[in-house]
Amino acid sequence: MTARGRYSSWLTRGRQTSWGRVVRSFVALASGESVARLFGLVATLILARNLHPSGFGLITLGITLVGWFGVVVDAGTETLNIRDISRAPNRFREIADRVLGLRIVLALITAACYAAGVALFAKSSQSREVLLPFALVMPAVAFNLRWMVLGLRQARAIAIGNVAARIAFLIGVALLITNPGDVLRVPYLQALSELVYGLVIIAIVARGFGITRPRVDLEAWKATLRGSLPLMVHGFARSALVTADLLLIDLLLGPHQLGLYAAASKAPLFFSAAIGLFSVSFLAGYSAAVGDEAFDVFRKATRILIASSVAVAVVLSAAAPLIAPLLFGHRYEGSIGSLAILAWILPMMALTTPYANALIAGHRQLVLMKNTIIGAVFAVAAGIVGIEVVGIEGAAVVRVASASLVLVLTYRSATSDGLAPRLGEIAFRRLRRPVARTLS
């Protein structure tokens, strides 16, 4: 029996509800992420203490820029193919081989553009020396199929890859980053970590489907890009929502203030990762559900996200005066106010998650893209004013306001199109109208 045949047979024998699939996937991802985040937290604290705020700010800037350029490398292929592979797992190798080839080409082009941009626009020779090697991260990211394998119920592979990557990074940081001059080594460690992540996932999935190999298929690449382009633009806009303030602070206030703000954002970022993991698990399960089952999955997910995110936001905001100096040292006391404000981005992100995924599952990527662009434009324009007038606390307020705007727009789009229930229907456990789904 072929690998695809074995998987189809297993799938038939072991069917589970869509909500059960969401929960199992999330538990596996969250378990791996929790362990990985602990290793990542230790590495972050070592970097923050050994590099001081200015060096830590430069590293944060590099990772932020890589995140922006990495959107092109991904080109929306991961999110788009969660949906498609969830509905046709037997097509994984067909899809993955072509996507991997496309991602490698995009990574090489993107890395070259990034390097040219840093060489031309870096503010100082030190910034140039630190930021330029981050170009190596782009090809490493291309090999990470990550969320695509959720369609195969391979959340465990993602968890293992995530932990392995963070361990590799922590070992490198602990051995090689001991003083401010070692900041030049961090980009290489970041690239190594990303490569480990992707290769571990490929190796684990290969046991059932064979090794994924890059394949050149221009027609398939064109079709993929046509479908994923709105998601790629959405990714750019979403990156602007959550990282434009970092770039603006670097430009307007300098690396030291950026280092403080980066420290303030670490705690909310830690918990927002859990929302992101739940998001991809939800998309995989929701895409495979229909009718009343889809509504049940949506209702349960929304209730859990709202309750947990509000609870975490309250704790983070109240404990901000203790968290910042305890974790990062007294040099970072200037981050307390920003942390107390940024905590409230979590409920906004949490409630946006199911409605955004409902748009993707319903083939409304273009609508989601437009909503996120509006939020991103607001984030940049208002961010400039907020930073100039108030400083990093103003940047924090704008980030929360931007997330709230996207929530309102996304909720309106998903509910008006009939792709998701309204909050009143969720609260009272009544489905007043069917959830419109486009599964083709």
Side-chain angles (χ1 to χ4, degrees):
M1 184 182 292
T2 65
R4 293 184 182 183
R6 287 196 301 272
Y7 186 83
S8 298
S9 176
W10 171 83
L11 190 62
T12 301
R13 293 196 305 270
R15 293 200 180 275
Q16 58 189 52
T17 65
S18 295
W19 176 246
R21 183 177 180 182
V22 171
V23 172
R24 288 173 174 82
S25 177
F26 175 69
V27 168
L29 291 176
S31 299
E33 183 68 17
S34 297
V35 176
R37 285 276 166 174
L38 290 176
F39 289 117
L41 177 61
V42 175
T44 298
L45 295 179
I46 293 173
L47 288 173
R49 291 176 179 271
N50 291 347
L51 299 180
H52 302 307
S54 294
F56 190 59
L58 278 177
I59 293 302
T60 300
L61 178 60
I63 294 174
T64 300
L65 291 172
V66 165
W68 282 56
F69 281 85
V71 172
V72 179
V73 177
D74 174 58
T77 54
E78 282 189 68
T79 303
L80 184 71
N81 287 300
I82 292 174
R83 181 190 69 196
D84 295 342
I85 293 173
S86 293
R87 294 169 182 170
N90 60 307
R91 295 186 59 216
F92 172 74
R93 275 294 304 277
E94 173 194 344
I95 295 172
D97 288 356
R98 294 185 302 200
V99 167
L100 184 58
L102 173 61
R103 286 165 66 99
I104 291 173
V105 171
L106 292 174
L108 295 175
I109 296 172
T110 303
C113 293
Y114 170 85
V118 170
L120 291 173
F121 300 111
K123 296 170 65 177
S124 67
S125 58
Q126 182 187 15
S127 296
R128 187 176 298 108
E129 290 175 353
V130 173
L131 297 177
L132 196 57
F134 275 106
L136 297 173
V137 178
M138 259 71 82
V141 168
F143 282 92
N144 195 344
L145 300 177
R146 205 169 43 174
W147 309 130
M148 288 176 58
V149 304
L150 279 180
L152 306 178
R153 304 182 186 179
Q154 287 284 356
R156 180 171 170 269
I158 300 172
I160 294 173
N162 192 6
V163 172
R166 298 300 178 91
I167 291 175
F169 186 69
L170 174 58
I171 291 173
V173 168
L175 294 177
L176 301 175
I177 312 300
T178 59
N179 60 74
D182 293 333
V183 66
L184 299 176
R185 298 174 177 176
V186 178
Y188 299 100
L189 296 177
Q190 185 72 23
L192 174 64
S193 174
E194 288 288 349
L195 185 61
V196 168
Y197 198 161
L199 293 181
V200 167
I201 292 175
I202 289 176
I204 293 174
V205 175
R207 291 182 297 178
F209 282 84
I211 297 176
T212 304
R213 298 179 177 87
R215 177 183 171 190
V216 177
D217 189 333
L218 297 180
E219 290 302 318
W221 289 1
K222 292 178 183 177
T224 298
L225 290 175
R226 280 196 298 269
S228 65
L229 182 60
L231 289 175
M232 182 174 70
V233 178
H234 163 69
F236 267 120
R238 187 174 180 277
S239 294
L241 275 171
V242 299
T243 61
D245 46 3
L246 296 171
L247 299 180
L248 291 172
I249 290 170
D250 179 65
L251 290 173
L252 299 175
L253 302 179
H256 183 82
Q257 291 296 310
L258 175 58
L260 296 178
Y261 190 77
S265 67
K266 290 302 178 184
L269 184 63
F270 184 92
F271 290 99
S272 69
I275 296 174
L277 294 177
F278 193 90
S279 174
V280 293
S281 300
F282 173 80
L283 178 58
Y286 189 68
S287 295
V290 293
D292 291 342
E293 186 181 20
F295 171 75
D296 187 54
V297 169
F298 196 98
R299 178 177 58 82
K300 290 178 178 178
T302 304
R303 288 182 165 191
I304 290 172
L305 285 167
I306 293 175
S308 58
S309 63
V310 170
V312 172
V314 169
V315 172
L316 284 182
S317 186
L322 298 176
I323 293 174
L326 179 64
L327 293 181
F328 298 98
H330 292 291
R331 290 192 300 265
Y332 290 86
E333 288 182 348
S335 65
I336 292 173
S338 298
L339 170 56
I341 298 168
L342 287 172
W344 292 99
I345 196 174
L346 295 174
M348 304 301 109
M349 293 176 60
L351 189 51
T352 302
T353 290
Y355 289 97
N357 283 323
L359 290 174
I360 295 173
H363 293 259
R364 302 292 198 279
Q365 300 97 290
L366 188 61
V367 175
L368 180 62
M369 177 194 77
K370 292 177 180 178
N371 292 341
T372 315
I373 289 175
I374 293 172
V377 171
F378 173 82
V380 173
I384 294 173
V385 177
I387 293 168
E388 287 280 15
V389 175
V390 184
I392 59 175
E393 289 81 5
V397 171
V398 171
R399 184 185 285 197
V400 175
S402 302
S404 302
L405 175 60
V406 172
L407 166 60
V408 171
L409 295 173
T410 303
Y411 173 82
R412 186 181 65 181
S413 298
T415 55
S416 63
D417 285 349
L419 296 172
R422 299 182 184 277
L423 290 176
E425 296 166 351
I426 294 171
F428 296 105
R429 301 189 181 188
R430 294 179 61 188
L431 179 59
R432 302 183 186 282
R433 55 196 172 116
V435 176
R437 298 290 304 284
T438 304
L439 298 179
S440 59

